[in-house]
Amino acid sequence: MTIRIGEEWGEAVESAPDGTQTAFTDCDVAHALDDRRPVLVRGGMLHQTLGSPVGNAVTRRLPIDLVEIVDTSSETRIAVSVANICLVQRGPFGRWRGRVVVVTNCGECSGVTPCPRAHPNDGTFDVLEVDASMRLFQRRLAWKRAESGSHLPHPSLSVWSGEKYCLTVEPNEQVIVDGVDLKFTGNVEVRVVADAGEIFI
Protein backbone atom coordinates (compact mmCIF):
# COMPACT_ATOMS: atom_id res chain seq x y z
CA MET A 1 0.00 0.00 0.00
CA THR A 2 1.51 3.31 -1.05
CA ILE A 3 2.45 5.96 1.49
CA ARG A 4 -0.01 8.71 2.37
CA ILE A 5 0.75 12.15 3.79
CA GLY A 6 1.35 11.91 7.54
CA GLU A 7 1.74 8.12 7.53
CA GLU A 8 4.86 6.31 8.74
CA TRP A 9 6.65 4.55 5.90
CA GLY A 10 7.47 0.87 6.33
CA GLU A 11 8.11 -1.03 9.52
CA ALA A 12 10.98 -1.69 11.90
CA VAL A 13 12.67 -5.10 11.48
CA GLU A 14 15.73 -6.81 12.92
CA SER A 15 16.76 -8.73 9.82
CA ALA A 16 16.04 -9.29 6.14
CA PRO A 17 14.75 -12.63 4.79
CA ASP A 18 17.09 -15.25 3.37
CA GLY A 19 17.96 -14.54 -0.24
CA THR A 20 17.92 -10.77 0.15
CA GLN A 21 20.32 -9.20 -2.34
CA THR A 22 22.64 -6.37 -1.31
CA ALA A 23 22.73 -3.70 -4.03
CA PHE A 24 25.18 -0.83 -4.37
CA THR A 25 23.65 0.86 -7.45
CA ASP A 26 20.16 2.03 -8.34
CA CYS A 27 20.27 -0.17 -11.44
CA ASP A 28 20.89 -3.27 -9.32
CA VAL A 29 18.08 -2.31 -6.91
CA ALA A 30 15.65 -1.89 -9.82
CA HIS A 31 16.58 -5.23 -11.40
CA ALA A 32 16.26 -7.09 -8.08
CA LEU A 33 12.81 -5.60 -7.53
CA ASP A 34 11.81 -6.40 -11.10
CA ASP A 35 12.82 -10.02 -10.41
CA ARG A 36 10.65 -9.93 -7.25
CA ARG A 37 13.63 -10.30 -4.93
CA PRO A 38 13.95 -8.32 -1.68
CA VAL A 39 16.99 -6.05 -1.66
CA LEU A 40 19.20 -4.35 0.93
CA VAL A 41 20.01 -0.88 -0.39
CA ARG A 42 23.61 0.21 0.15
CA GLY A 43 24.37 2.58 -2.74
CA GLY A 44 22.95 4.92 -5.37
CA MET A 45 20.64 7.92 -5.36
CA LEU A 46 17.85 6.00 -3.61
CA HIS A 47 20.35 5.11 -0.88
CA GLN A 48 21.20 8.80 -0.51
CA THR A 49 17.50 9.69 -0.27
CA LEU A 50 17.12 7.11 2.51
CA GLY A 51 19.89 8.69 4.58
CA SER A 52 22.86 6.65 3.31
CA PRO A 53 22.76 3.80 5.87
CA VAL A 54 25.93 1.67 6.05
CA GLY A 55 26.92 -1.80 7.21
CA ASN A 56 25.06 -5.09 7.24
CA ALA A 57 22.58 -4.27 9.99
CA VAL A 58 18.96 -4.10 8.84
CA THR A 59 16.58 -1.74 10.61
CA ARG A 60 13.57 -1.18 8.35
CA ARG A 61 11.47 -2.84 5.64
CA LEU A 62 9.97 -0.46 3.09
CA PRO A 63 7.54 -1.01 0.22
CA ILE A 64 8.67 0.80 -2.92
CA ASP A 65 7.48 1.79 -6.38
CA LEU A 66 9.25 1.10 -9.66
CA VAL A 67 9.07 3.17 -12.82
CA GLU A 68 9.00 1.33 -16.15
CA ILE A 69 9.71 2.55 -19.68
CA VAL A 70 7.59 0.94 -22.37
CA ASP A 71 8.10 1.11 -26.14
CA THR A 72 4.66 2.31 -27.25
CA SER A 73 4.94 0.80 -30.74
CA SER A 74 5.26 -2.76 -29.38
CA GLU A 75 4.17 -2.42 -25.72
CA THR A 76 7.55 -3.90 -24.79
CA ARG A 77 9.13 -2.94 -21.48
CA ILE A 78 12.62 -1.70 -22.26
CA ALA A 79 13.82 -0.56 -18.82
CA VAL A 80 12.92 -0.18 -15.16
CA SER A 81 14.05 2.47 -12.71
CA VAL A 82 14.00 2.89 -8.97
CA ALA A 83 15.63 6.34 -8.88
CA ASN A 84 15.87 8.53 -12.02
CA ILE A 85 15.24 8.64 -15.74
CA CYS A 86 16.99 11.58 -17.44
CA LEU A 87 16.60 12.80 -21.01
CA VAL A 88 19.39 15.13 -22.18
CA GLN A 89 21.12 16.16 -25.39
CA ARG A 90 23.86 13.79 -26.50
CA GLY A 91 27.39 15.01 -25.85
CA PRO A 92 29.43 16.21 -22.88
CA PHE A 93 27.30 19.32 -22.24
CA GLY A 94 23.90 17.61 -22.46
CA ARG A 95 22.20 19.17 -19.45
CA TRP A 96 23.42 22.67 -20.35
CA ARG A 97 21.57 22.92 -23.68
CA GLY A 98 18.31 21.87 -25.31
CA ARG A 99 15.43 20.32 -23.42
CA VAL A 100 16.05 18.30 -20.29
CA VAL A 101 13.58 15.96 -18.63
CA VAL A 102 14.10 14.29 -15.26
CA VAL A 103 11.61 11.65 -14.14
CA THR A 104 12.40 10.84 -10.53
CA ASN A 105 11.08 8.30 -8.09
CA CYS A 106 13.30 9.35 -5.20
CA GLY A 107 13.80 13.11 -5.66
CA GLU A 108 17.62 13.05 -5.66
CA CYS A 109 19.60 13.15 -8.90
CA SER A 110 23.32 13.79 -9.52
CA GLY A 111 23.81 15.55 -6.20
CA VAL A 112 20.81 17.87 -6.50
CA THR A 113 17.10 17.71 -5.61
CA PRO A 114 15.15 18.41 -8.82
CA CYS A 115 11.77 17.43 -7.35
CA PRO A 116 11.72 18.15 -3.59
CA ARG A 117 8.28 16.59 -3.03
CA ALA A 118 9.07 13.21 -4.59
CA HIS A 119 8.63 10.06 -2.49
CA PRO A 120 9.69 6.53 -3.55
CA ASN A 121 6.38 4.96 -2.48
CA ASP A 122 3.60 7.46 -3.19
CA GLY A 123 2.24 5.73 -6.29
CA THR A 124 3.49 8.46 -8.64
CA PHE A 125 6.73 9.75 -10.11
CA ASP A 126 7.78 13.40 -10.27
CA VAL A 127 8.90 15.17 -13.42
CA LEU A 128 11.14 18.21 -13.93
CA GLU A 129 11.11 19.67 -17.44
CA VAL A 130 13.67 22.27 -18.52
CA ASP A 131 12.58 24.41 -21.47
CA ALA A 132 14.98 24.25 -24.41
CA SER A 133 15.18 28.06 -24.48
CA MET A 134 16.64 28.30 -20.97
CA ARG A 135 20.03 30.03 -21.15
CA LEU A 136 23.28 28.63 -19.84
CA PHE A 137 23.62 31.19 -17.03
CA GLN A 138 20.07 30.45 -15.82
CA ARG A 139 20.75 26.70 -15.94
CA ARG A 140 23.91 27.00 -13.89
CA LEU A 141 22.13 29.14 -11.30
CA ALA A 142 19.15 26.76 -11.13
CA TRP A 143 21.50 23.77 -10.79
CA LYS A 144 23.28 25.44 -7.87
CA ARG A 145 19.97 26.22 -6.18
CA ALA A 146 18.73 22.66 -6.80
CA GLU A 147 21.36 21.41 -4.33
CA SER A 148 18.96 22.62 -1.63
CA GLY A 149 15.77 22.23 -3.67
CA SER A 150 15.29 26.01 -3.86
CA HIS A 151 15.35 26.31 -7.69
CA LEU A 152 11.55 26.49 -7.90
CA PRO A 153 9.47 28.26 -9.02
CA HIS A 154 11.14 29.32 -12.29
CA PRO A 155 9.48 30.27 -15.61
CA SER A 156 11.71 27.87 -17.59
CA LEU A 157 11.19 24.94 -15.23
CA SER A 158 8.02 22.94 -14.77
CA VAL A 159 7.45 20.27 -12.12
CA TRP A 160 4.53 17.90 -11.82
CA SER A 161 3.73 14.39 -10.65
CA GLY A 162 1.77 11.61 -12.30
CA GLU A 163 1.44 7.92 -13.12
CA LYS A 164 2.06 8.05 -16.90
CA TYR A 165 4.15 10.22 -19.21
CA CYS A 166 4.53 9.96 -22.98
CA LEU A 167 7.93 10.95 -24.35
CA THR A 168 9.55 11.00 -27.78
CA VAL A 169 13.31 10.45 -27.70
CA GLU A 170 15.00 12.15 -30.67
CA PRO A 171 18.22 10.84 -32.31
CA ASN A 172 20.24 13.73 -30.80
CA GLU A 173 19.01 12.88 -27.29
CA GLN A 174 19.89 10.16 -24.82
CA VAL A 175 17.94 8.60 -21.99
CA ILE A 176 19.89 7.65 -18.87
CA VAL A 177 18.11 5.19 -16.57
CA ASP A 178 19.57 4.92 -13.07
CA GLY A 179 22.95 5.89 -14.48
CA VAL A 180 22.86 3.61 -17.56
CA ASP A 181 22.48 4.90 -21.16
CA LEU A 182 19.34 3.31 -22.65
CA LYS A 183 20.41 3.71 -26.33
CA PHE A 184 16.84 4.08 -27.61
CA THR A 185 15.05 6.54 -29.88
CA GLY A 186 11.35 6.76 -30.59
CA ASN A 187 8.15 6.91 -28.58
CA VAL A 188 8.00 5.61 -25.03
CA GLU A 189 5.57 5.77 -22.16
CA VAL A 190 6.88 6.08 -18.62
CA ARG A 191 4.61 4.34 -16.09
CA VAL A 192 4.69 3.91 -12.34
CA VAL A 193 4.42 0.41 -10.87
CA ALA A 194 3.10 1.05 -7.38
CA ASP A 195 4.27 -1.18 -4.53
CA ALA A 196 6.52 -3.14 -6.89
CA GLY A 197 8.54 -4.78 -4.12
CA GLU A 198 10.31 -4.37 -0.79
CA ILE A 199 13.64 -2.86 0.13
CA PHE A 200 15.55 -3.03 3.38
CA ILE A 201 17.77 -0.41 4.95
Side-chain angles (χ1 to χ4, degrees), residues 50-79:
L50 298 172
S52 302
V54 297
N56 295 321
V58 175
T59 60
R60 201 153 190 86
R61 175 173 57 199
L62 305 167
I64 193 163
D65 303 334
L66 269 178
V67 179
E68 63 178 2
I69 304 175
V70 176
D71 179 349
T72 54
S73 64
S74 63
E75 277 298 304
T76 302
R77 176 192 270 186
I78 54 178

PDB file of all heavy atoms in Angstrom, residues 50-79:
ATOM      1  N   LEU A  50      17.494   7.828   1.292  1.00  0.00           N
ATOM      2  CA  LEU A  50      17.115   7.110   2.512  1.00  0.00           C
ATOM      3  C   LEU A  50      18.063   7.383   3.677  1.00  0.00           C
ATOM      4  O   LEU A  50      17.954   6.748   4.727  1.00  0.00           O
ATOM      5  CB  LEU A  50      17.068   5.607   2.224  1.00  0.00           C
ATOM      6  CG  LEU A  50      16.034   5.172   1.179  1.00  0.00           C
ATOM      7  CD1 LEU A  50      16.212   3.699   0.836  1.00  0.00           C
ATOM      8  CD2 LEU A  50      14.627   5.450   1.665  1.00  0.00           C
ATOM      9  N   GLY A  51      18.987   8.312   3.497  1.00  0.00           N
ATOM     10  CA  GLY A  51      19.885   8.690   4.580  1.00  0.00           C
ATOM     11  C   GLY A  51      21.231   8.020   4.569  1.00  0.00           C
ATOM     12  O   GLY A  51      21.990   8.123   5.536  1.00  0.00           O
ATOM     13  N   SER A  52      21.554   7.296   3.501  1.00  0.00           N
ATOM     14  CA  SER A  52      22.858   6.646   3.315  1.00  0.00           C
ATOM     15  C   SER A  52      23.252   5.704   4.454  1.00  0.00           C
ATOM     16  O   SER A  52      24.350   5.800   5.005  1.00  0.00           O
ATOM     17  CB  SER A  52      23.950   7.711   3.123  1.00  0.00           C
ATOM     18  OG  SER A  52      23.658   8.534   2.030  1.00  0.00           O
ATOM     19  N   PRO A  53      22.374   4.753   4.831  1.00  0.00           N
ATOM     20  CA  PRO A  53      22.763   3.797   5.872  1.00  0.00           C
ATOM     21  C   PRO A  53      23.927   2.919   5.416  1.00  0.00           C
ATOM     22  O   PRO A  53      24.077   2.646   4.227  1.00  0.00           O
ATOM     23  CB  PRO A  53      21.490   2.960   6.073  1.00  0.00           C
ATOM     24  CG  PRO A  53      20.732   3.100   4.794  1.00  0.00           C
ATOM     25  CD  PRO A  53      21.050   4.468   4.276  1.00  0.00           C
ATOM     26  N   VAL A  54      24.748   2.480   6.369  1.00  0.00           N
ATOM     27  CA  VAL A  54      25.929   1.671   6.046  1.00  0.00           C
ATOM     28  C   VAL A  54      25.914   0.383   6.865  1.00  0.00           C
ATOM     29  O   VAL A  54      25.169   0.242   7.830  1.00  0.00           O
ATOM     30  CB  VAL A  54      27.238   2.445   6.309  1.00  0.00           C
ATOM     31  CG1 VAL A  54      27.333   3.657   5.404  1.00  0.00           C
ATOM     32  CG2 VAL A  54      27.325   2.875   7.776  1.00  0.00           C
ATOM     33  N   GLY A  55      26.768  -0.553   6.468  1.00  0.00           N
ATOM     34  CA  GLY A  55      26.917  -1.797   7.213  1.00  0.00           C
ATOM     35  C   GLY A  55      25.900  -2.851   6.820  1.00  0.00           C
ATOM     36  O   GLY A  55      25.096  -2.658   5.911  1.00  0.00           O
ATOM     37  N   ASN A  56      25.942  -3.970   7.534  1.00  0.00           N
ATOM     38  CA  ASN A  56      25.062  -5.090   7.240  1.00  0.00           C
ATOM     39  C   ASN A  56      23.810  -5.127   8.100  1.00  0.00           C
ATOM     40  O   ASN A  56      22.917  -5.932   7.874  1.00  0.00           O
ATOM     41  CB  ASN A  56      25.822  -6.411   7.409  1.00  0.00           C
ATOM     42  CG  ASN A  56      26.941  -6.545   6.390  1.00  0.00           C
ATOM     43  OD1 ASN A  56      26.780  -6.166   5.244  1.00  0.00           O
ATOM     44  ND2 ASN A  56      28.075  -7.071   6.830  1.00  0.00           N
ATOM     45  N   ALA A  57      23.746  -4.282   9.113  1.00  0.00           N
ATOM     46  CA  ALA A  57      22.579  -4.275   9.992  1.00  0.00           C
ATOM     47  C   ALA A  57      21.346  -3.791   9.232  1.00  0.00           C
ATOM     48  O   ALA A  57      21.413  -2.863   8.436  1.00  0.00           O
ATOM     49  CB  ALA A  57      22.843  -3.381  11.198  1.00  0.00           C
ATOM     50  N   VAL A  58      20.232  -4.451   9.479  1.00  0.00           N
ATOM     51  CA  VAL A  58      18.962  -4.103   8.841  1.00  0.00           C
ATOM     52  C   VAL A  58      18.036  -3.529   9.901  1.00  0.00           C
ATOM     53  O   VAL A  58      17.871  -4.109  10.980  1.00  0.00           O
ATOM     54  CB  VAL A  58      18.321  -5.342   8.177  1.00  0.00           C
ATOM     55  CG1 VAL A  58      16.952  -5.018   7.616  1.00  0.00           C
ATOM     56  CG2 VAL A  58      19.233  -5.889   7.094  1.00  0.00           C
ATOM     57  N   THR A  59      17.441  -2.381   9.621  1.00  0.00           N
ATOM     58  CA  THR A  59      16.580  -1.741  10.612  1.00  0.00           C
ATOM     59  C   THR A  59      15.144  -1.518  10.154  1.00  0.00           C
ATOM     60  O   THR A  59      14.259  -1.341  10.976  1.00  0.00           O
ATOM     61  CB  THR A  59      17.159  -0.365  11.017  1.00  0.00           C
ATOM     62  OG1 THR A  59      17.233   0.469   9.854  1.00  0.00           O
ATOM     63  CG2 THR A  59      18.541  -0.519  11.632  1.00  0.00           C
ATOM     64  N   ARG A  60      14.914  -1.528   8.823  1.00  0.00           N
ATOM     65  CA  ARG A  60      13.568  -1.183   8.352  1.00  0.00           C
ATOM     66  C   ARG A  60      13.257  -1.872   7.030  1.00  0.00           C
ATOM     67  O   ARG A  60      14.116  -2.028   6.180  1.00  0.00           O
ATOM     68  CB  ARG A  60      13.455   0.338   8.190  1.00  0.00           C
ATOM     69  CG  ARG A  60      12.037   0.840   8.198  1.00  0.00           C
ATOM     70  CD  ARG A  60      11.979   2.288   8.701  1.00  0.00           C
ATOM     71  NE  ARG A  60      10.602   2.667   8.934  1.00  0.00           N
ATOM     72  CZ  ARG A  60       9.935   2.454  10.049  1.00  0.00           C
ATOM     73  NH1 ARG A  60      10.534   1.861  11.054  1.00  0.00           N
ATOM     74  NH2 ARG A  60       8.678   2.821  10.185  1.00  0.00           N
ATOM     75  N   ARG A  61      11.992  -2.304   6.891  1.00  0.00           N
ATOM     76  CA  ARG A  61      11.474  -2.841   5.641  1.00  0.00           C
ATOM     77  C   ARG A  61      10.527  -1.802   5.039  1.00  0.00           C
ATOM     78  O   ARG A  61       9.647  -1.291   5.724  1.00  0.00           O
ATOM     79  CB  ARG A  61      10.731  -4.150   5.885  1.00  0.00           C
ATOM     80  CG  ARG A  61      10.064  -4.697   4.622  1.00  0.00           C
ATOM     81  CD  ARG A  61       9.487  -6.067   4.834  1.00  0.00           C
ATOM     82  NE  ARG A  61       8.527  -6.080   5.926  1.00  0.00           N
ATOM     83  CZ  ARG A  61       8.150  -7.187   6.565  1.00  0.00           C
ATOM     84  NH1 ARG A  61       8.669  -8.354   6.253  1.00  0.00           N
ATOM     85  NH2 ARG A  61       7.256  -7.123   7.532  1.00  0.00           N
ATOM     86  N   LEU A  62      10.730  -1.520   3.743  1.00  0.00           N
ATOM     87  CA  LEU A  62       9.975  -0.459   3.090  1.00  0.00           C
ATOM     88  C   LEU A  62       9.388  -0.948   1.767  1.00  0.00           C
ATOM     89  O   LEU A  62      10.117  -1.471   0.922  1.00  0.00           O
ATOM     90  CB  LEU A  62      10.891   0.744   2.796  1.00  0.00           C
ATOM     91  CG  LEU A  62      11.665   1.336   3.970  1.00  0.00           C
ATOM     92  CD1 LEU A  62      12.735   2.291   3.456  1.00  0.00           C
ATOM     93  CD2 LEU A  62      10.734   2.048   4.931  1.00  0.00           C
ATOM     94  N   PRO A  63       8.086  -0.765   1.557  1.00  0.00           N
ATOM     95  CA  PRO A  63       7.544  -1.010   0.221  1.00  0.00           C
ATOM     96  C   PRO A  63       8.001   0.099  -0.713  1.00  0.00           C
ATOM     97  O   PRO A  63       8.242   1.231  -0.268  1.00  0.00           O
ATOM     98  CB  PRO A  63       6.027  -0.962   0.436  1.00  0.00           C
ATOM     99  CG  PRO A  63       5.852  -0.058   1.614  1.00  0.00           C
ATOM    100  CD  PRO A  63       7.068  -0.272   2.487  1.00  0.00           C
ATOM    101  N   ILE A  64       8.141  -0.212  -1.996  1.00  0.00           N
ATOM    102  CA  ILE A  64       8.670   0.800  -2.917  1.00  0.00           C
ATOM    103  C   ILE A  64       8.060   0.646  -4.307  1.00  0.00           C
ATOM    104  O   ILE A  64       7.695  -0.451  -4.720  1.00  0.00           O
ATOM    105  CB  ILE A  64      10.213   0.722  -2.980  1.00  0.00           C
ATOM    106  CG1 ILE A  64      10.801   1.952  -3.674  1.00  0.00           C
ATOM    107  CG2 ILE A  64      10.670  -0.577  -3.626  1.00  0.00           C
ATOM    108  CD1 ILE A  64      12.264   2.152  -3.431  1.00  0.00           C
ATOM    109  N   ASP A  65       7.956   1.771  -4.999  1.00  0.00           N
ATOM    110  CA  ASP A  65       7.477   1.786  -6.382  1.00  0.00           C
ATOM    111  C   ASP A  65       8.642   1.596  -7.342  1.00  0.00           C
ATOM    112  O   ASP A  65       9.791   1.916  -7.016  1.00  0.00           O
ATOM    113  CB  ASP A  65       6.810   3.128  -6.714  1.00  0.00           C
ATOM    114  CG  ASP A  65       5.655   3.471  -5.784  1.00  0.00           C
ATOM    115  OD1 ASP A  65       5.044   2.541  -5.226  1.00  0.00           O
ATOM    116  OD2 ASP A  65       5.368   4.677  -5.625  1.00  0.00           O
ATOM    117  N   LEU A  66       8.332   1.099  -8.531  1.00  0.00           N
ATOM    118  CA  LEU A  66       9.246   1.096  -9.659  1.00  0.00           C
ATOM    119  C   LEU A  66       8.669   2.003 -10.735  1.00  0.00           C
ATOM    120  O   LEU A  66       7.470   2.273 -10.745  1.00  0.00           O
ATOM    121  CB  LEU A  66       9.396  -0.309 -10.253  1.00  0.00           C
ATOM    122  CG  LEU A  66      10.492  -1.236  -9.752  1.00  0.00           C
ATOM    123  CD1 LEU A  66      10.406  -2.574 -10.461  1.00  0.00           C
ATOM    124  CD2 LEU A  66      11.862  -0.633  -9.916  1.00  0.00           C
ATOM    125  N   VAL A  67       9.516   2.436 -11.641  1.00  0.00           N
ATOM    126  CA  VAL A  67       9.069   3.167 -12.822  1.00  0.00           C
ATOM    127  C   VAL A  67       9.541   2.371 -14.034  1.00  0.00           C
ATOM    128  O   VAL A  67      10.711   1.998 -14.107  1.00  0.00           O
ATOM    129  CB  VAL A  67       9.636   4.599 -12.849  1.00  0.00           C
ATOM    130  CG1 VAL A  67       9.171   5.328 -14.094  1.00  0.00           C
ATOM    131  CG2 VAL A  67       9.229   5.362 -11.588  1.00  0.00           C
ATOM    132  N   GLU A  68       8.637   2.090 -14.956  1.00  0.00           N
ATOM    133  CA  GLU A  68       9.001   1.334 -16.148  1.00  0.00           C
ATOM    134  C   GLU A  68       8.912   2.213 -17.381  1.00  0.00           C
ATOM    135  O   GLU A  68       8.126   3.158 -17.432  1.00  0.00           O
ATOM    136  CB  GLU A  68       8.097   0.101 -16.314  1.00  0.00           C
ATOM    137  CG  GLU A  68       6.638   0.418 -16.523  1.00  0.00           C
ATOM    138  CD  GLU A  68       5.788  -0.829 -16.721  1.00  0.00           C
ATOM    139  OE1 GLU A  68       6.325  -1.946 -16.665  1.00  0.00           O
ATOM    140  OE2 GLU A  68       4.569  -0.675 -16.954  1.00  0.00           O
ATOM    141  N   ILE A  69       9.738   1.881 -18.385  1.00  0.00           N
ATOM    142  CA  ILE A  69       9.710   2.553 -19.677  1.00  0.00           C
ATOM    143  C   ILE A  69       9.259   1.526 -20.701  1.00  0.00           C
ATOM    144  O   ILE A  69       9.860   0.454 -20.818  1.00  0.00           O
ATOM    145  CB  ILE A  69      11.087   3.114 -20.065  1.00  0.00           C
ATOM    146  CG1 ILE A  69      11.620   4.046 -18.976  1.00  0.00           C
ATOM    147  CG2 ILE A  69      11.010   3.854 -21.396  1.00  0.00           C
ATOM    148  CD1 ILE A  69      13.016   4.548 -19.235  1.00  0.00           C
ATOM    149  N   VAL A  70       8.199   1.868 -21.431  1.00  0.00           N
ATOM    150  CA  VAL A  70       7.594   0.938 -22.374  1.00  0.00           C
ATOM    151  C   VAL A  70       7.658   1.534 -23.773  1.00  0.00           C
ATOM    152  O   VAL A  70       7.304   2.704 -23.990  1.00  0.00           O
ATOM    153  CB  VAL A  70       6.126   0.651 -21.989  1.00  0.00           C
ATOM    154  CG1 VAL A  70       5.458  -0.252 -23.020  1.00  0.00           C
ATOM    155  CG2 VAL A  70       6.055   0.027 -20.597  1.00  0.00           C
ATOM    156  N   ASP A  71       8.121   0.734 -24.730  1.00  0.00           N
ATOM    157  CA  ASP A  71       8.105   1.109 -26.143  1.00  0.00           C
ATOM    158  C   ASP A  71       6.647   1.077 -26.606  1.00  0.00           C
ATOM    159  O   ASP A  71       6.024   0.013 -26.642  1.00  0.00           O
ATOM    160  CB  ASP A  71       8.948   0.119 -26.937  1.00  0.00           C
ATOM    161  CG  ASP A  71       8.987   0.410 -28.430  1.00  0.00           C
ATOM    162  OD1 ASP A  71       8.201   1.243 -28.906  1.00  0.00           O
ATOM    163  OD2 ASP A  71       9.797  -0.215 -29.133  1.00  0.00           O
ATOM    164  N   THR A  72       6.085   2.245 -26.945  1.00  0.00           N
ATOM    165  CA  THR A  72       4.656   2.314 -27.248  1.00  0.00           C
ATOM    166  C   THR A  72       4.294   1.636 -28.563  1.00  0.00           C
ATOM    167  O   THR A  72       3.139   1.259 -28.763  1.00  0.00           O
ATOM    168  CB  THR A  72       4.173   3.769 -27.264  1.00  0.00           C
ATOM    169  OG1 THR A  72       4.985   4.533 -28.161  1.00  0.00           O
ATOM    170  CG2 THR A  72       4.261   4.385 -25.886  1.00  0.00           C
ATOM    171  N   SER A  73       5.256   1.445 -29.467  1.00  0.00           N
ATOM    172  CA  SER A  73       4.938   0.798 -30.735  1.00  0.00           C
ATOM    173  C   SER A  73       4.725  -0.703 -30.580  1.00  0.00           C
ATOM    174  O   SER A  73       3.986  -1.322 -31.341  1.00  0.00           O
ATOM    175  CB  SER A  73       6.040   1.058 -31.765  1.00  0.00           C
ATOM    176  OG  SER A  73       7.254   0.465 -31.357  1.00  0.00           O
ATOM    177  N   SER A  74       5.364  -1.314 -29.570  1.00  0.00           N
ATOM    178  CA  SER A  74       5.259  -2.762 -29.382  1.00  0.00           C
ATOM    179  C   SER A  74       4.747  -3.154 -27.999  1.00  0.00           C
ATOM    180  O   SER A  74       4.548  -4.339 -27.736  1.00  0.00           O
ATOM    181  CB  SER A  74       6.631  -3.404 -29.596  1.00  0.00           C
ATOM    182  OG  SER A  74       7.555  -2.942 -28.616  1.00  0.00           O
ATOM    183  N   GLU A  75       4.555  -2.167 -27.116  1.00  0.00           N
ATOM    184  CA  GLU A  75       4.168  -2.423 -25.721  1.00  0.00           C
ATOM    185  C   GLU A  75       5.197  -3.290 -25.010  1.00  0.00           C
ATOM    186  O   GLU A  75       4.870  -4.073 -24.110  1.00  0.00           O
ATOM    187  CB  GLU A  75       2.780  -3.067 -25.631  1.00  0.00           C
ATOM    188  CG  GLU A  75       1.633  -2.085 -25.698  1.00  0.00           C
ATOM    189  CD  GLU A  75       1.636  -1.084 -24.540  1.00  0.00           C
ATOM    190  OE1 GLU A  75       1.635  -1.496 -23.368  1.00  0.00           O
ATOM    191  OE2 GLU A  75       1.659   0.130 -24.818  1.00  0.00           O
ATOM    192  N   THR A  76       6.463  -3.149 -25.406  1.00  0.00           N
ATOM    193  CA  THR A  76       7.549  -3.904 -24.792  1.00  0.00           C
ATOM    194  C   THR A  76       8.217  -3.065 -23.708  1.00  0.00           C
ATOM    195  O   THR A  76       8.576  -1.907 -23.949  1.00  0.00           O
ATOM    196  CB  THR A  76       8.607  -4.283 -25.850  1.00  0.00           C
ATOM    197  OG1 THR A  76       7.983  -5.035 -26.884  1.00  0.00           O
ATOM    198  CG2 THR A  76       9.731  -5.090 -25.232  1.00  0.00           C
ATOM    199  N   ARG A  77       8.396  -3.643 -22.537  1.00  0.00           N
ATOM    200  CA  ARG A  77       9.130  -2.944 -21.480  1.00  0.00           C
ATOM    201  C   ARG A  77      10.603  -2.957 -21.843  1.00  0.00           C
ATOM    202  O   ARG A  77      11.180  -4.008 -22.107  1.00  0.00           O
ATOM    203  CB  ARG A  77       8.915  -3.641 -20.148  1.00  0.00           C
ATOM    204  CG  ARG A  77       9.736  -3.001 -19.025  1.00  0.00           C
ATOM    205  CD  ARG A  77       9.737  -3.862 -17.798  1.00  0.00           C
ATOM    206  NE  ARG A  77       8.623  -3.516 -16.931  1.00  0.00           N
ATOM    207  CZ  ARG A  77       8.460  -4.043 -15.712  1.00  0.00           C
ATOM    208  NH1 ARG A  77       9.297  -4.948 -15.261  1.00  0.00           N
ATOM    209  NH2 ARG A  77       7.442  -3.680 -14.978  1.00  0.00           N
ATOM    210  N   ILE A  78      11.218  -1.770 -21.866  1.00  0.00           N
ATOM    211  CA  ILE A  78      12.621  -1.698 -22.256  1.00  0.00           C
ATOM    212  C   ILE A  78      13.547  -1.332 -21.093  1.00  0.00           C
ATOM    213  O   ILE A  78      14.760  -1.481 -21.211  1.00  0.00           O
ATOM    214  CB  ILE A  78      12.837  -0.724 -23.431  1.00  0.00           C
ATOM    215  CG1 ILE A  78      12.255   0.658 -23.132  1.00  0.00           C
ATOM    216  CG2 ILE A  78      12.209  -1.268 -24.690  1.00  0.00           C
ATOM    217  CD1 ILE A  78      12.485   1.674 -24.232  1.00  0.00           C
ATOM    218  N   ALA A  79      12.978  -0.874 -19.976  1.00  0.00           N
ATOM    219  CA  ALA A  79      13.822  -0.562 -18.820  1.00  0.00           C
ATOM    220  C   ALA A  79      12.943  -0.352 -17.594  1.00  0.00           C
ATOM    221  O   ALA A  79      11.749  -0.056 -17.707  1.00  0.00           O
ATOM    222  CB  ALA A  79      14.662   0.688 -19.077  1.00  0.00           C
TER     223      ALA A  79
END
